[in-house]
Every structure is written in C-alpha cells, then in structure tokens.
Amino acid sequence: MSFLADDDRPRKKAAHEIGEDISSFSADELSARIAVLQAEIDRLDAEKARKSAGRSAAESLFRR
C-alpha cells in the first residue's frame, strides 16, 4: 500500500490566479472573483491581527 505525499496530490484549481487574463470575464464573474479575493484578504487580516495581539501580549508580559 502506498501513500501519496502531500506534494504529489493533484491540486484544486484556485478560484483566481494572480496575473491571469481576465479580459474575457463578465462583470458578474469579476464580481464573484472580487468577493473570493476580499474574503481571503479578510481572513489574512484576521490572522495578522491575532498574531499581533499574541506578540503584544508576550511583549507586555516580558516587560514587567
């Protein structure tokens, strides 16, 4: 029995690929992609805030 390494698995196509040709997309398709990208930005911002808060808490603890 063989197991596939994570790198060997087929990857799901991204909802949007940075730099891809978007000239053929309709306004609705562009709006959908904007929504996907905005959700990802929001997710990244939330993680950044969580990490910043953790770092601030650690710095406060060690400054005492």
Side-chain angles (χ1 to χ4, degrees):
M1 173 163 50
S2 92
F3 291 96
L4 293 175
D6 287 341
D7 295 339
D8 294 340
R9 292 185 201 173
R11 293 193 178 199
K12 183 172 84 169
K13 181 161 171 42
H16 181 79
E17 186 175 322
I18 303 299
E20 76 179 290
D21 181 15
I22 58 173
S23 62
S24 64
F25 296 155
S26 69
D28 287 340
E29 289 171 319
L30 291 170
S31 293
R33 286 179 183 239
I34 289 169
V36 167
L37 293 170
Q38 189 60 55
E40 183 64 5
I41 289 168
D42 293 345
R43 187 178 77 90
L44 292 168
D45 280 340
E47 183 65 14
K48 179 181 168 189
R50 187 185 71 75
K51 289 187 181 225
S52 293
R55 182 177 184 158
S56 294
E59 287 175 352
S60 293
L61 179 66
F62 290 109
R63 283 189 201 152
R64 291 182 180 193

